[in-house]
Amino acid sequence: MIVPGYRDQPTEQWDPVAPVDPGEAEDFLRRCYLENPRLGPVEPRLAIVRAQIAATGSYVHTTEELSHGAKMAWRNAGRCIGRLYWKSLLVLDRRRARTADEIFSLLVRHLQTAGDGQLRPVISIFAAAQPGQPHARVWNEQLIRYAGYRDEDGRTVGDARQIGFTSAMRGFGWRGKGEHFDVLPLAIETPAEGVRLYDLPERAIREVPITHPDYGWFTELGLRWHAVPAISNMRLTIGGVHYPLAPFNGWYMGTEVGARNFADADRYDLLPTVAARLGLDTSRESTLWRDRALVELNRAVLFSFERAGVKMTDHHTESERFLTHLRNEEKAGRSVPADWTWIVPPMSGSLTGVFHRYYEEMDLRPAFYLDDEAISLARDGSRCPYPHP
Ligand code: ARG
């Protein structure tokens, strides 16, 4: 079944009851120790891990294994164009946190560590799922997202993608201001406490007001966007161990905001507004008013982040960097899984080098997966994988 806006990706069906697969553990450990000679010989470690799995159904990663495993998962993420920097990932080991309060304060620390200008890629890894036992999770798809509302006349305020999630939060008693850029609360679920909502403190939320280098009226649109994209509902799997709560962030490529979040008809849908302000002829598609508005919107986004001193990349630069990454990986003797439909930027595709070639899609592990239940919780707070009939 195809749910608009939530495309499938290659995903293993995770069986939360099954013990860790010793073959997958061995495969990961051999690769990890091969890539990091300073960790010493893998054989003694394999013996320990096999015994741990036999006795408990799982095993515990060392800090180095966790850290390198997370980097490998990023390296294997076929939809990410920003993988040149995979080695620079900062891995925060948060496996001891248990309560929602603890988790929340570490999520705030995560956002602060990611920075508010010169951003750095960070992942916080919380406790591994134990086979057959409930685990902690965050319902939100990202740590920072804007609420969406439908008013009485059926008009949308805010991010239309978040309407279902926003009304779930309202069901728990949360009230937003009802404006276009209300940051949603975090819904943190733990086995002992159920779901608890937390408002992020302002110090954890860096935002950039959007202005245009040439058009003064752009300010009047009242647009803004948050500095840090931090995916919070993907499961990290390393060597057969699953980490259902492992939020990670990088920095934005301008088109994610300018060509998707602001432009998609089922998001902020701003192209008609921008075109009207530009005085474009919108009576026919062939005037390319959409394309012209799209370029100005994207110029504004890149200009604003640059002016605010918040790290953001453009799609031309990032395409070249991805091609460099492909060359690096080839030299290292590794293959790079990549999904063309995600790697090619959503505007001016053929102007970028990544457009003019094909890629292999492979399900390599360690990996990040988006489970059906995680999709559903982020969509409307329900555990049903598909919309209610
Ligand atoms: N496209 C998503 C958004 O607009 C963010 C996905 C991750 N992006 C990134 N640059 N790490 O919020």
Side-chain angles (χ1 to χ4, degrees), residues 325-380:
H325 173 64
L326 293 179
R327 287 190 295 271
N328 290 350
E329 289 298 292
E330 190 178 349
K331 266 186 245 140
R334 291 188 288 259
S335 40
V336 179
D339 177 344
W340 192 99
T341 66
W342 274 63
I343 295 296
V344 173
M347 68 184 283
S348 310
S350 67
L351 305 184
T352 64
V354 295
F355 175 97
H356 298 278
R357 51 161 296 160
Y358 292 107
Y359 308 94
E360 238 190 294
E361 289 185 49
M362 283 166 282
D363 183 13
L364 300 183
R365 308 214 186 142
F368 292 102
Y369 293 110
L370 188 55
D371 295 315
D372 287 344
E373 193 175 57
I375 291 174
S376 177
L377 288 169
R379 185 175 48 230
D380 58 12

Side-chain angles (χ1 to χ4, degrees), residues 29 38 47 51 66 85 95 98 112 117 183 185 191 245 280 282-284 326 348 354 358 386:
L29 291 167
R38 63 182 182 82
L66 189 72
Y85 318 97
R95 287 177 290 178
R98 285 294 174 279
Q112 290 177 312
V183 173
L245 180 52
L280 302 179
T282 59
S283 67
R284 296 169 300 128
L326 293 179
S348 310
V354 295
Y358 292 107
Y386 303 114

Side-chain angles (χ1 to χ4, degrees), residues 47-82:
I48 294 170
V49 166
R50 279 192 206 105
Q52 260 187 40
I53 296 175
T56 69
S58 186
Y59 67 105
V60 180
H61 288 131
T62 65
T63 311
E64 286 85 3
E65 289 162 6
L66 189 72
S67 177
H68 194 68
K71 291 174 186 173
M72 290 170 79
W74 183 7
R75 196 175 76 196
N76 289 334
R79 293 176 164 189
C80 177
I81 192 174

